[in-house]
Amino acid sequence: MDHLPVNHQLRPLWRGLAFFAGVYMLVFGIVGFVASTGDGLEWFAQSGLPSALGLKANPAFSLLSIVVGAIVVLGVLIGRNVDRVVNLVAGSIQLLASMGMLAVLRTDLNFLGFSVATCVVSSILGLTLLTAGLYGKVGPRSAEQAQNQHRHRVVGGDNT
């Protein structure tokens, strides 16, 4: 992926947004898990779901949110391009899951108990993580300078 920026000036902003997205998923998962298991719901319940941070949650979706949120937060805290890979993978999976659950929203295949609001929030979180992954590449100053020279070259000129 030669075209992705190295040491982008907005990397700290996107890293912070990825951290907050991970914290949101983690807190949502914990609150949702406590609320849904306290109500005695089945793991893959689709109706009568409690609300956690504005979204409906069943135990399976809550546990999945805890795992993904913890991985994202841990990746951001580690840094050193680990967060980039974690954000790219987690963001892509989040987007695919939100689109997939939107497709099966009113069927028996909606095993995570998604609603339209959950699909929207999952898409926003997925886009945030994916963008953070795209702008999160770090490297030595020489790689940044080489990339800038490659980007700003004159095609067909003396420095092709």
Side-chain angles (χ1 to χ4, degrees), residues 4-36:
L4 295 179
V6 178
N7 301 335
H8 193 271
Q9 61 189 3
L10 293 179
R11 181 181 187 275
L13 170 72
W14 286 108
R15 190 172 178 199
L17 289 173
F19 177 77
F20 286 126
V23 168
Y24 177 83
M25 286 187 277
L26 190 59
V27 171
F28 164 78
I30 293 169
V31 171
F33 191 77
V34 168
S36 61

Side-chain angles (χ1 to χ4, degrees), residues 77-137:
L77 292 177
I78 291 173
R80 298 188 315 261
N81 286 331
V82 171
D83 60 336
R84 177 178 165 259
V85 173
V86 167
N87 290 337
L88 284 172
V89 171
S92 300
I93 291 172
Q94 189 93 15
L95 278 174
L96 289 173
S98 69
M99 293 300 124
M101 294 310 286
L102 184 63
V104 298
L105 197 62
R106 296 186 184 238
T107 67
D108 289 337
L109 295 175
N110 186 8
F111 58 92
L112 294 177
F114 269 46
S115 65
V116 174
T118 311
C119 292
V120 170
V121 170
S122 292
S123 294
I124 291 170
L125 291 173
L127 286 171
T128 301
L129 291 173
L130 188 62
T131 306
L134 292 174
Y135 286 101
K137 188 174 182 181

Side-chain angles (χ1 to χ4, degrees), residues 21-78:
V23 168
Y24 177 83
M25 286 187 277
L26 190 59
V27 171
F28 164 78
I30 293 169
V31 171
F33 191 77
V34 168
S36 61
T37 54
D39 290 346
L41 286 176
E42 294 181 19
W43 276 89
F44 298 105
Q46 296 180 9
S47 61
L49 301 177
S51 183
L53 300 182
L55 302 175
K56 301 292 184 183
N58 67 11
F61 180 49
S62 298
L63 188 61
L64 186 64
S65 295
I66 291 170
V67 170
V68 173
I71 290 171
V72 169
V73 168
L74 187 63
V76 170
L77 292 177
I78 291 173

